[in-house]
Structure formats: C-alpha cells, structure tokens
Amino acid sequence: MAQERLAAIGELAAAVGHELRNPLGVLGNVVYLLRSRLGGGDPWAAEKLRTAERELAAATLIVADLLEFARPRPPVAAPHHLPGLVDEVLSVAPPPDSVRVETGWPAELAPVAVDRDQLRQVLLNLVTNAYEAMPAGGVVTLNAERQPAAVRLTVADTGAGMDDETRRRLFEPFYTTKTKGIGLGLAVARRIVEAHGGALTAESRPGAGAAFTLTLPSSPPVEEPDR
Amino acid sequence: MTARVLVADDEPGMRDTVREILEAAGYEVVVASDGDEALARLGHGHFDVVLLDLRMPGRDGLSVLRTLGEARPTVIIMTAYALEDQLQAVGAKAFAVLHKPVPVPHLLDVVGPAAGKAA
C-alpha cells in the first residue's frame, strides 16, 4: 500500500513537473529578451537579470531532477565538447557576485558522447551546488583533463567542505544538508553519468572545500560535434 | 537570403517569445497556433525550418510531420514531454528533438544548422 501511494505521488509529481516546463521555458525566453534590450547599459538591470536567471535555473533544475528521478530516460548521446556545455551552463546559471569562476581546458580536448540535456542537468547540479556551498563567496574551478579514451572534469569549490557522514551519504536520494532543495540533484546526476558509462565521485574534508570529479568516455572525432 | 521559419505552438507566450528571439537572430518568422494552421501556412509558402510543438489541440506536431511527406522543410520538434514522444519523433525523422525549457543558446545552435541544411 505504501509502495502504491509512493508510486501515485511520483506520477503526480512528474505530471506537475511536465506542466511547469512550458512556463519555465517562456520565462527563460522573456529574461533572454530583456537582457538583450536592457542588460548591456544598465548595471542595476543586469544584476536583477542575473538573479532572475539563477532562480530560473534553480527552478528548472528542481523540475528536471524530479522528472529524471520519477521517470529515468535513457540517454540519446551525440558528440559534444565539454567547454561549450560548461559555457552554456554558466550563462544559464551565472555565479553570484561574490563567487568567481575559473576554467582550465587542455588543448584539443576530445568530444564526449553525451545526451546534451542530461549532461547540462548534471553540470547545473554541480555548479549550483558549488555556488551554494560558498554563501560568503569564493572560487569555483572547472578543470578538464584528457584520459585514455575518456575526459575527466573536476568541479571544485572553496566552501566549508563536508564531514564524513555527509560525504558518505551525498549521492543518496532525498539526502540533503541544505535548507532548500529536495535532495535529488546528486543522486540523479550520478545515475545520468553512469547511464553514459561514466563515473561521478566526490572528495571533501571539513574546512577544505569539495571537489566533484566527472569522468565520461570520449567520443570519436566528428566534423560538427556541437550541434 | 533570409531563412524562413515557421513556429507552431499553441502556447502564445512560447510562440511569441520564440518568434521574437528568432527575428532578432535574423530569421523571417511566421507563427501558427495549432497543427491545422501550421499545415495551412506550409501549403501557402516556402519555409526552410519548422519548429513544431508536439502537443497541440487538434492535429499535433507528429501528425503534421507525418502529413508533410518527404519534400518537407527541416523539422525541429519541441516538447515538454520525454521519452515516448522523442522516440516517435526521431522515428519520423525530425532534424532534432528539443526538451522544454530550451535554453536560448541551445535553440539558436540547432536552428542555425537546420536552416543551413535547408539552404
């Protein structure tokens, strides 16, 4: 009986999530149009638009995580370059004023075979978690490196770090230490990465920040990898 | 020559903002609010790309795609619903399937090559 109720709640949550995708899409388009008209010359408007973009990204992520948890979708992979996907994520979820983002890409980084929507969801989870781990500000570093037949991306923050229990339970569904959020982001992110044949791991110590490492199989080169 | 794009979506907010974004990017855009209107527009003018919402009242996006046959413009499906819709659309040979909400850079990244393919 409890199982049936849980399934019914899951179905309801998924239905609500689907219905929210259209209005979230329209809001994203409106913010983009406002930014193209107002964002350049007016620092006040630019700052408000960045806040709107961050909050929209957070709402979109909650819906995406909920749907992916309730109804997992097998990836439809195509070759993509990680730096382009990271740029897209940083434009959708720009850092708060107190956070600086640094990126390091090796020359000739091989493309990875990924479902673009799903990898964006993974990266959004890692990047927004890093922002939230540093309420007083800090640095998020995204570094990629080539591996034999794989690409490894590390997302590191300079926040407060995690204790042993948090690090052990980090990828459990509904486990969260945050005052907001539903605790699905990292569970879903790991499931997506593993469905791509990759791995997602975390390292952290109290007071020493956290680093998430994403390893994805590289894809054979193609002519137009970013479509 | 400017590429012509038809945007078919029953949600006015989505339809109008996508139109404005594509016009700002240099496309000539015509809109339709359901599948029947989309087919009527397609019957009376040349289009390079069609952005089709899957779930519309009356004739839906996949039905429009199937009706168009082989000599159709390049079709991009936009959907708020996932797997089963996506597989059907891919089976019906859409150029791409975009899951709403679609970030604008992603939308422009897909429409560009679709228009190039049609040219």
Side-chain angles (χ1 to χ4, degrees):
Chain A
M1 196 61 192
Q3 202 66 19
E4 280 172 20
R5 279 178 62 185
L6 202 61
I9 290 168
E11 285 297 307
L12 180 64
V16 171
H18 276 306
E19 291 308 317
L20 285 171
R21 288 178 137 186
N22 251 317
L24 286 170
V26 176
L27 283 172
N29 290 350
V30 168
V31 170
Y32 176 89
L33 288 166
L34 286 172
R35 172 177 285 292
S36 18
R37 180 74 62 91
L38 306 171
D42 182 340
W44 180 87
E47 194 231 315
K48 298 302 168 225
L49 287 169
R50 271 200 303 278
T51 303
E53 282 163 341
R54 260 197 312 280
E55 296 302 320
L56 255 175
T60 303
L61 196 53
I62 289 168
V63 168
D65 287 345
L66 188 63
L67 285 173
E68 185 61 37
F69 185 76
R71 296 178 188 166
R73 182 172 68 81
V76 179
H80 291 286
H81 282 304
L82 265 181
L85 288 171
V86 167
D87 285 347
E88 189 177 310
V89 164
L90 294 174
S91 79
V92 170
D97 285 344
S98 58
V99 171
R100 194 172 79 244
V101 176
E102 293 178 356
T103 53
W105 309 118
E108 295 175 21
L109 192 63
V112 284
V114 293
D115 182 309
R116 182 171 174 161
D117 289 341
Q118 290 189 336
L119 196 71
R120 186 196 305 124
Q121 187 175 344
V122 170
L123 293 171
L124 263 175
N125 268 307
L126 297 180
V127 166
T128 54
N129 274 354
Y131 296 162
E132 288 166 11
M134 302 181 294
V139 182
V140 180
T141 310
L142 293 111
N143 269 318
E145 60 180 275
R146 280 176 292 182
Q147 301 274 302
V151 173
R152 179 178 287 176
L153 174 74
T154 305
V155 182
D157 66 63
T158 55
M162 292 175 253
D163 59 27
D164 282 347
E165 191 195 348
T166 303
R167 205 177 61 243
R168 206 173 53 246
R169 300 187 59 192
L170 202 53
F171 294 100
E172 284 179 21
F174 303 110
Y175 179 78
T176 182
T177 57
K178 293 191 270 188
T179 50
K180 59 178 184 177
I182 50 177
L184 285 179
L186 287 173
V188 163
R190 177 175 263 182
R191 188 159 74 187
I192 289 173
V193 172
E194 288 177 350
H196 282 78
L200 178 62
T201 57
E203 281 180 43
S204 180
R205 277 182 296 117
F212 288 82
T213 301
L214 171 63
T215 308
L216 289 164
S218 48
S219 163
V222 291
E223 279 178 19
E224 291 181 16
D226 267 329
R227 202 210 83 204
Chain B
M1 207 180 78
T2 310
R4 289 192 90 212
V5 182
L6 176 68
V7 177
D9 198 308
D10 62 314
E11 293 285 335
M14 182 62 75
R15 193 169 65 231
D16 294 341
T17 53
V18 169
R19 177 182 62 187
E20 215 173 318
I21 287 163
L22 293 179
E23 282 177 347
Y27 298 98
E28 185 185 336
V29 183
V30 174
V31 295
S33 57
D34 57 41
D36 290 315
E37 192 183 347
L39 280 175
R41 301 258 183 231
L42 287 163
H44 292 92
H46 167 80
F47 289 92
D48 299 290
V49 179
V50 181
L51 275 168
L52 266 184
D53 183 27
L54 267 191
R55 301 218 172 166
M56 293 188 285
R59 198 186 283 272
D60 68 11
L62 280 173
S63 164
V64 171
L65 185 55
R66 290 198 190 101
T67 307
L68 284 176
E70 286 305 309
R72 59 177 180 246
T74 307
V75 175
I76 298 167
I77 295 285
M78 293 202 298
T79 178
Y81 300 85
L83 186 61
E84 58 272 50
D85 289 336
Q86 183 180 37
L87 289 175
Q88 283 184 52
V90 169
K93 298 196 169 43
F95 178 75
V97 178
L98 303 179
H99 297 279
K100 294 178 181 176
V102 186
V104 175
H106 186 178
L107 175 70
L108 296 174
D109 268 5
V110 174
V111 173
K117 179 173 176 276

